């Protein structure tokens, strides 16, 4: 009861949808389908097999808009900032993906994401108006409170099922992120996307469009709970999916075979062997030529075929196996003969993994993992560590990078760390999480975790401490130090505006002339710090956030001298030292040459003669 009279137009629409659901799309009448159903005027525009939705063109435009944003280092929130290869980025993931494009293009082996499922209660970033411009969008994602936290009401919109663009909103959110994510994958890379029944159908079509239908690998199914939940029509949905697509040429590692049953008690010259079943799951009607009596050539005992499970080979092939002694007969004719299977004949050392993930934990495992670390329930709907470790262990090499740009509580980071502890690997993670405000009534907020990103960072810290303690106990008990080289740290960065003023020469007006000239002559913002500029220039020059950085006094050497960045001072002596170091590229601030045009001219000539790519900002 809402106190309102009957909404006649809506009531009529509901009745019509009950009778003709095929003419509706996202709760509204599709006029082309309506005409096709009720008239002879059947004329679908642009007939072709394609996924389309309201706002698709605008979603494509969003991903094409370049960003000037950067990532600022946060050493005080990190562990082993100077040495670790693991990264946590706090910021809106679409902008972060754009920032990472140049440096990480084609470098990620595994992308593992758990995006909003679009259940009707989700809140996520999408434009209210599909005509929203870049400036309006930036204003919304820039809305912050007095402490600098992003305002949830300014950044998020709840996507209710009552919305006329219910599916379209979700697709518009996912499309640009998946498109940019594909660029970051290696050619032998794979992406895993967690989803449920709400959008699994649209996700498959969306990923077919972005990754190519031919690059679909599988749709994993895993059970998230054991106890049935009362639901509509008495169906308890206890499973979810993980959709897997390759970039170009990926293969799972598979499960290593167990060779414990292969032995050689009779000193067979063919090597170790084991007993195997000589029948197949076919009946006599399906395989009549494999339905025959088998005779033991030594005793004459007859072993009749099973009409529901015939022999695995036709008589001619079976005769060869008998002659070579590979069929072993029991003395009891009521028992079945066995087949000698040699280890050397195995075609592979691994078994394929099943698309039905039966050996992974439930959501209750994920809840317990967080409770064990925090002694409280600070995050809902995280995934079990065993699920992520199964995916990572079957797809990610010991030195590869795993990216999760819907970082959530940080499960992916902990899974990578724990997998490295178990096998001594050196996998790296990059997690991206928006500083979404926690609900003021939640346990997390009461425990002083203001944002989801705060929970995620703290989980990584606690997971690292847990692993350090386990390694310490392991060493004390077993006197082993095999885990001493595991990377138990992470660098924290925050998405931020550029450290440099943006010169827009083609947008000069009488009103902004002074501002634009200042950006041209003095490009560094007053509040910019050297470390912040250093990482921004590294990223925009195509270098990783984890590349080695060495201070050489007045300049920085990146990646063992490949790149040199000078931000504080330049003179002829410093220039000579840089040229002598023979870097591939040098970046410096143009204002370091202020008042000394001759030094700049000489520097340009010296760099050119030495074959060094020289850039000034």
């Amino acid at each position: 009861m809402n106190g309102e009279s009957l909404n006649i137009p809506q009531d009529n629409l509901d009745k019509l949808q009950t009778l003709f659901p095929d003419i509706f799309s996202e709760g509204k009448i599709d006029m082309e389908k309506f005409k096709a159903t009720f008239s002879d005027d059947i004329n679908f525009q642009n007939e072709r097999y394609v996924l389309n939705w309201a706002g698709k063109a605008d979603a494509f435009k969003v991903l094409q808009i370049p960003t000037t944003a950067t990532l600022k280092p946060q050493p005080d929130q990190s562990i082993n900032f100077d040495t670790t290869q693991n990264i946590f980025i706090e910021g809106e993931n679409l902008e972060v993906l754009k920032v990472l494009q140049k440096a990480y293009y084609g470098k990620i082996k595994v992308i593992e994401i758990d995006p909003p499922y679009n259940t009707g209660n989700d809140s996520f970033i999408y434009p209210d108006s599909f005509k929203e411009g870049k400036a309006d969008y930036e204003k919304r994602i820039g809305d912050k409170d007095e402490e600098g936290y992003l305002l949830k009401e300014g950044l998020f919109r709840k996507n209710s099922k009552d919305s006329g663009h219910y599916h379209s909103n979700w697709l518009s959110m996912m499309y640009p992120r998946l498109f940019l994510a594909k660029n970051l994958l290696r050619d032998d890379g794979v992406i895993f996307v967690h989803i449920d029944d709400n959008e699994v159908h649209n996700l498959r079509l969306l990923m077919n469009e972005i990754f190519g239908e031919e690059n679909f690998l599988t749709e994993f199914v895993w059970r998230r709970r054991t106890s049935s939940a009362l639901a509509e029509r008495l169906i308890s949905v206890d499973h979810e999916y993980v959709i897997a697509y390759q970039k170009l040429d990926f293969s799972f590692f598979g499960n290593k075979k167990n060779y414990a049953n292969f032995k050689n008690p009779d000193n067979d010259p063919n090597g170790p062997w084991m007993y195997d079943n000589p029948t197949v799951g076919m009946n006599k009607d399906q395989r009549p030529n494999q339905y025959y009596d088998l005779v033991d050539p030594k005793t004459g005992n007859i072993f009749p075929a099973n009409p529901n499970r015939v022999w695995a080979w036709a008589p001619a092939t079976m005769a060869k196996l008998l002659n070579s002694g590979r069929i072993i007969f029991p003395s009891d004719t009521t028992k079945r003969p066995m087949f000698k299977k040699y280890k050397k004949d195995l075609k592979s050392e691994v078994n394929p993994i099943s698309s039905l993930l039966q050996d992974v934990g439930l959501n209750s495992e994920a809840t317990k993992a967080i409770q064990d670390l925090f002694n409280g329930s600070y995050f809902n709907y995280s995934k079990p560590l065993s699920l992520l470790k199964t995916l990572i262990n079957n797809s990610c090499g010991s030195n590869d990078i795993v990216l999760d740009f819907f970082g959530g509580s940080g499960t992916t980071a902990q899974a990578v760390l724990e997998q490295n502890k178990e096998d001594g690997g050196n996998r790296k993670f990059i997690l991206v999480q928006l500083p979404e405000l926690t609900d003021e009534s939640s346990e997390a907020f009461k425990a002083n975790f203001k944002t989801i990103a705060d929970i995620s960072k703290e989980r990584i810290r606690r997971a690292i401490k847990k692993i350090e303690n386990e390694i310490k106990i392991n060493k004390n008990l077993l006197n082993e130090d095999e885990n001493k080289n595991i990377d138990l740290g992470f660098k924290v960065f925050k998405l931020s505006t550029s450290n440099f003023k943006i010169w827009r020469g083609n947008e000069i007006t009488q009103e902004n002339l002074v501002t634009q000239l200042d950006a041209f002559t003095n490009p560094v913002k007053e509040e910019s710090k050297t470390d912040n500029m250093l990482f921004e220039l590294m990223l925009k020059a195509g270098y990783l956030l984890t590349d080695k950085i060495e201070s050489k006094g007045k300049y920085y050497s990146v990646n063992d001298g490949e790149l040199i960045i000078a931000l504080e001072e330049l003179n002829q002596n410093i220039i000579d030292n840089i040229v002598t170091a023979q870097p591939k590229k040098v970046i410096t601030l143009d204002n370091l040459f202020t008042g000394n045009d001759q030094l700049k001219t000489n520097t340009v000539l010296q760099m050119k003669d030495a074959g060094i790519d020289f850039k000034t900002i």
Side-chain angles (χ1 to χ4, degrees):
M1 295 288 292
N2 59 13
E4 296 179 356
S5 62
L6 178 66
N7 186 327
I8 295 176
Q10 186 60 50
D11 184 59
N12 288 333
L13 281 174
D14 292 342
K15 292 176 181 177
L16 188 61
Q17 187 167 10
T18 301
L19 293 172
F20 303 100
D22 56 304
I23 68 172
F24 282 78
S25 176
E26 293 190 311
K28 295 184 178 181
I29 295 176
D30 185 319
M31 294 309 296
E32 284 192 353
K33 291 182 179 178
F34 182 88
K35 290 179 180 178
T37 303
F38 294 106
S39 75
D40 295 330
D41 182 19
I42 302 175
N43 182 25
F44 289 110
Q45 298 295 318
N46 300 317
E47 284 187 341
R48 58 196 178 99
Y49 183 70
V50 65
L51 174 64
N52 208 355
W53 68 90
K56 182 176 182 179
D58 296 280
F60 194 82
K61 291 175 185 176
V62 166
L63 73 88
Q64 292 181 318
I65 298 173
T67 183
T68 59
T70 186
L71 303 177
K72 291 186 177 179
Q74 311 292 314
D76 58 321
Q77 299 183 34
S78 309
I79 295 177
N80 302 329
F81 184 90
D82 292 332
T83 57
T84 184
Q85 298 286 299
N86 297 316
I87 296 170
F88 182 93
I89 302 171
E90 185 175 313
E92 199 278 304
N93 58 12
L94 180 61
E95 289 294 291
V96 172
L97 287 169
K98 290 181 180 181
V99 171
L100 297 178
Q101 287 294 298
K102 187 168 186 180
Y104 286 87
Y105 191 96
K107 291 184 172 67
I108 306 298
K109 180 60 187 288
V110 175
I111 295 177
E112 150 68 40
I113 58 172
D114 187 12
Y117 281 6
N118 209 23
T119 62
N121 296 312
D122 306 83
S123 295
F124 51 81
I125 300 170
Y126 66 87
D128 276 331
S129 167
F130 293 105
K131 293 181 172 61
E132 181 180 49
K134 181 172 184 285
D136 294 328
Y137 174 78
E138 288 179 336
K139 181 180 182 301
R140 272 201 303 113
I141 68 169
D143 285 345
K144 299 178 182 178
D145 64 17
E146 63 276 6
E147 297 181 42
Y149 290 108
L150 291 164
L151 295 173
K152 188 166 185 175
E153 59 270 21
L155 184 61
F156 295 90
R157 296 289 183 271
K158 183 176 179 180
N159 195 35
S160 170
K161 286 188 176 181
D162 295 331
S163 166
H165 289 146
Y166 171 62
H167 292 293
S168 294
N169 290 336
W170 187 85
L171 288 164
S172 290
M173 182 273 293
M174 290 295 293
Y175 184 84
R177 289 161 176 83
L178 288 173
F179 192 100
L180 292 171
K182 180 188 175 185
N183 291 341
L184 301 181
L185 275 180
R186 289 169 21 180
D187 285 349
D188 63 346
V190 62
I191 181 170
F192 300 111
V193 185
H194 297 257
I195 201 69
D196 70 0
D197 285 322
N198 286 285
E199 294 291 355
V200 65
H201 52 299
N202 282 329
L203 179 63
R204 283 283 300 272
L205 291 172
L206 185 65
M207 296 188 73
N208 281 348
E209 180 167 324
I210 295 172
F211 289 85
E213 186 175 1
E214 68 279 6
N215 289 314
F216 169 72
L217 294 172
T218 191
E219 185 171 293
F220 289 110
V221 181
W222 67 283
R223 192 171 189 183
R224 63 191 178 103
R225 63 185 175 202
T226 55
S227 59
S228 297
L230 189 61
E232 292 184 15
R233 301 175 181 85
L234 294 180
I235 297 175
S236 178
V237 181
D238 299 330
H239 69 281
E240 290 182 7
Y241 311 97
V242 184
I243 309 299
Y245 277 74
Q246 67 178 359
K247 174 78 172 285
L248 286 177
D249 185 22
F250 168 83
S251 178
F252 289 103
F253 298 155
N255 299 315
K256 290 186 178 180
K257 291 180 177 178
N258 185 350
Y259 298 114
N261 292 328
F262 284 92
K263 299 176 182 178
N264 196 1
D266 58 351
N267 294 318
D268 192 312
N270 289 301
W273 56 274
M274 64 173 284
Y275 291 109
D276 197 14
N277 190 344
T279 65
V280 292
M282 300 285 184
N283 61 41
K284 64 177 184 178
D285 296 324
Q286 294 171 300
R287 291 288 187 272
N289 62 329
Q290 291 168 223
Y291 180 66
Y292 53 87
D293 291 340
L294 190 60
V295 180
D296 182 346
K298 293 182 179 179
T299 64
N301 290 337
I302 298 174
F303 295 84
N306 183 337
N308 297 314
R309 190 175 177 91
V310 299
W311 303 116
W313 305 279
T317 303
M318 180 66 83
K320 293 179 181 178
L321 295 172
L322 288 169
N323 291 334
S324 63
R326 295 191 66 176
I327 304 299
I328 300 173
F329 291 91
S331 57
D332 186 350
T333 56
T334 63
K335 295 182 178 180
R336 182 181 60 200
M338 298 301 288
F339 168 65
K340 244 185 181 184
K341 181 168 73 173
Y342 293 115
K343 181 180 177 182
K344 70 180 183 66
D345 291 338
L346 296 178
K347 295 180 180 179
S348 171
E349 295 183 355
V350 296
N351 290 318
I353 63 174
S354 173
S355 61
L356 182 61
L357 298 175
Q358 297 176 299
D359 298 324
V360 301
L362 309 170
N363 274 340
S364 56
E365 175 199 304
T367 301
K368 185 177 185 302
I370 293 178
Q371 288 177 335
D372 288 346
L373 288 176
F374 288 94
N375 295 317
S377 299
Y378 296 154
F379 194 88
N380 297 321
Y381 311 117
S382 63
K383 294 297 180 286
L385 285 165
S386 57
L387 171 61
L388 269 66
K389 286 165 68 175
T390 295
L391 297 174
I392 290 169
N393 191 40
N394 269 288
S395 59
C396 184
S398 60
N399 290 295
D400 293 334
I401 302 174
V402 180
L403 168 65
D404 182 351
F405 52 89
F406 285 96
S409 69
T411 310
T412 299
Q414 185 175 353
V416 169
L417 292 168
E418 290 198 1
Q419 190 63 47
N420 284 342
K421 185 205 73 170
E422 292 175 12
D423 61 16
N426 188 34
R427 302 168 190 84
K428 281 78 69 175
F429 65 77
I430 300 176
L431 250 67
V432 182
Q433 175 55 42
L434 185 78
E436 174 187 348
L437 291 178
T438 53
D439 191 292
E440 292 186 7
S441 63
S442 67
E443 287 189 42
F445 185 87
K446 293 172 184 177
N448 205 32
F449 293 109
K450 281 202 165 185
T451 71
I452 301 299
D454 290 338
I455 298 174
S456 188
K457 285 180 286 186
E458 183 60 22
R459 179 179 185 173
I460 299 172
R461 295 186 193 104
R462 296 190 183 202
I464 287 173
K465 187 67 176 178
K466 171 179 175 285
I467 293 171
E468 286 175 339
N469 290 336
E470 290 171 347
I471 291 174
K472 184 177 180 180
I473 293 172
N474 187 52
K475 287 180 181 178
N476 292 339
L477 293 177
L478 303 176
N479 194 28
E480 295 179 355
D481 61 352
E482 61 183 19
N483 302 120
K484 65 181 180 180
N485 294 321
I486 291 180
D487 184 352
L488 293 175
F490 69 114
K491 298 177 189 281
V492 177
F493 292 85
K494 284 190 177 181
L495 181 70
S496 181
T497 56
S498 174
N499 295 283
F500 305 99
K501 302 167 188 173
I502 307 303
W503 163 253
R504 304 185 189 279
N506 62 337
E507 297 179 11
I508 293 177
T509 64
Q510 185 175 350
E511 289 75 18
N512 68 13
L513 177 60
V514 174
T515 302
Q516 287 296 307
L517 287 176
D518 178 64
F520 181 74
T521 57
N522 184 27
V524 180
K525 294 179 180 177
E526 291 182 5
E527 68 275 14
S528 297
K529 297 179 180 179
T530 299
D531 285 350
N532 296 343
M533 290 190 288
L534 175 62
F535 277 100
E536 178 171 358
L537 293 174
M538 282 176 57
L539 270 175
K540 292 179 177 178
Y543 286 82
L544 306 184
L545 292 166
T546 54
D547 278 338
K548 182 180 176 183
I549 301 172
E550 296 175 279
S551 175
K552 298 294 185 179
K554 298 298 183 180
Y555 61 87
Y556 296 91
S557 171
V558 179
N559 210 19
D560 294 322
E562 279 189 18
L563 169 67
I564 285 179
I565 298 176
L567 300 170
E568 299 172 3
E569 181 184 345
L570 280 179
N571 56 45
Q572 191 58 56
N573 184 53
I574 295 173
I575 297 298
D576 291 341
N577 289 338
I578 291 175
V579 172
T580 301
Q582 280 296 295
K584 292 181 179 179
K585 180 178 289 188
V586 173
I587 301 175
T588 186
L589 299 179
D590 191 71
N591 60 13
L592 297 184
F593 294 105
T594 301
N596 197 340
D597 291 342
Q598 183 178 356
L599 178 62
K600 182 175 181 179
T601 301
N602 290 340
T603 300
V604 171
L605 293 173
Q606 279 186 266
M607 297 290 179
K608 184 177 181 180
D609 289 343
I612 299 170
D613 183 10
F614 179 58
K615 303 289 184 185
T616 60
I617 304 297

